[in-house]
């Protein structure tokens, strides 16, 4: 039985050649143009967690008396359709756009 049989609308079936540890290039979103290493893949939700991409802040309360709270930054998952395997010619967008010389 396919993974998407229970909820076909919410699941995107894509032929995935992306594996954990691969370097990927982000195609869309706030981190468009970034490259990073794949940390984890959730094939049921079609999500990928990429190192240094889609960082979120979590505020942690102190649990014991005398302990201080902290602010953690961690990666969250992005949809697999927003990444592709990185090539050697992939460069950040700031470097890729250069003025045209006449």
């Amino acid at each position: 039985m396919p993974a998407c049989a229970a909820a076909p609308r919410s699941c995107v079936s894509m032929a995935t050649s992306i594996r954990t540890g691969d370097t990927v290039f982000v195609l869309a979103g706030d981190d468009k143009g970034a490259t990073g290493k794949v940390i984890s893949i959730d094939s049921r939700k079609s999500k990928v967690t990429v190192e240094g991409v889609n960082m979120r802040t979590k505020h942690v309360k102190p649990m014991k008396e005398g302990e201080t709270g902290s602010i953690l930054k961690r990666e969250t998952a992005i949809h697999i359709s927003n990444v592709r395997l990185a090539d050697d010619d992939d460069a950040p967008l700031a470097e890729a756009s250069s003025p045209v010389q006449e």
Side-chain angles (χ1 to χ4, degrees), residues 5-96:
R9 283 187 171 174
S10 64
C11 190
V12 177
S13 62
M14 301 177 76
T16 313
S17 60
I18 299 173
R19 306 267 183 233
T20 303
D22 286 348
T23 302
V24 292
F25 182 75
V26 180
L27 299 172
D30 290 339
D31 294 308
K32 181 177 179 179
T35 56
K37 190 172 83 168
V38 176
I39 298 171
S40 66
I41 299 173
D42 185 357
S43 58
R44 287 178 127 338
K45 294 182 181 179
S46 298
K47 300 252 183 187
V48 177
T49 305
V50 181
E51 189 176 84
V53 175
N54 202 22
M55 299 296 286
R56 294 291 179 250
T57 308
K58 179 174 180 163
H59 296 265
V60 181
K61 290 174 66 173
M63 293 307 215
K64 297 177 183 174
E65 192 171 329
E67 188 176 288
T68 60
S70 63
I71 299 174
L72 300 176
K73 286 198 170 267
R74 55 182 299 180
E75 297 94 356
T76 55
I78 58 176
H79 199 267
I80 200 164
S81 66
N82 293 335
V83 297
R84 70 171 166 82
L85 285 174
D87 297 332
D88 294 337
D89 59 340
D90 286 334
L93 291 179
E95 295 174 14

